[in-house]
Amino acid sequence: MADSRSFAIGLSLSAALALSACATPAQMHSEDQLNAVALGCGLALGELIQDEAQKKLLLLVHNNPSTRQRVCIYEWARKNGLKAVFVNMDVPS
């Protein structure tokens, strides 16, 4: 009886810990941090934006980013608990 109770308590604690990890709010990154990431991935200043209303979204606004650039942004976003969103935008000259 004691073994099954210990198992149930351990399982409950594990489930609570797993759920609390999912509920961690996204951190807002500064413009300087995002610009450093953008430059490191071969992009221009200001092309990487974190949405204040939806903090988990990391937006890349760039016309036809290369595969390498996409992977670079995706990996950084994932490492920081964000979802990368790629927006192709033609800017008129």
Side-chain angles (χ1 to χ4, degrees):
M1 183 72 150
D3 286 338
S4 64
R5 185 172 181 209
S6 296
F7 176 75
I9 291 172
L11 186 61
S12 297
L13 288 174
S14 296
L17 184 61
L19 288 175
S20 68
C22 296
T24 305
Q27 168 193 338
M28 281 302 292
H29 294 82
S30 71
E31 189 174 331
D32 289 341
Q33 289 172 311
L34 296 176
N35 281 333
V37 173
L39 291 174
C41 291
L43 300 162
L45 297 175
E47 290 187 323
L48 199 55
I49 304 164
Q50 188 175 2
D51 189 342
E52 282 193 41
Q54 297 293 322
K55 294 178 183 166
K56 288 212 174 246
L57 297 182
L58 182 66
L59 305 169
L60 171 61
V61 181
H62 183 83
N63 191 28
N64 296 319
S66 70
T67 302
R68 186 190 66 76
Q69 290 168 325
R70 284 177 178 262
V71 168
C72 182
I73 295 300
Y74 173 79
E75 287 177 351
W76 188 86
R78 190 183 68 175
K79 193 171 21 173
N80 287 279
L82 303 174
K83 177 172 175 54
V85 178
F86 302 100
V87 180
N88 282 324
M89 184 178 284
D90 288 324
V91 179
S93 45

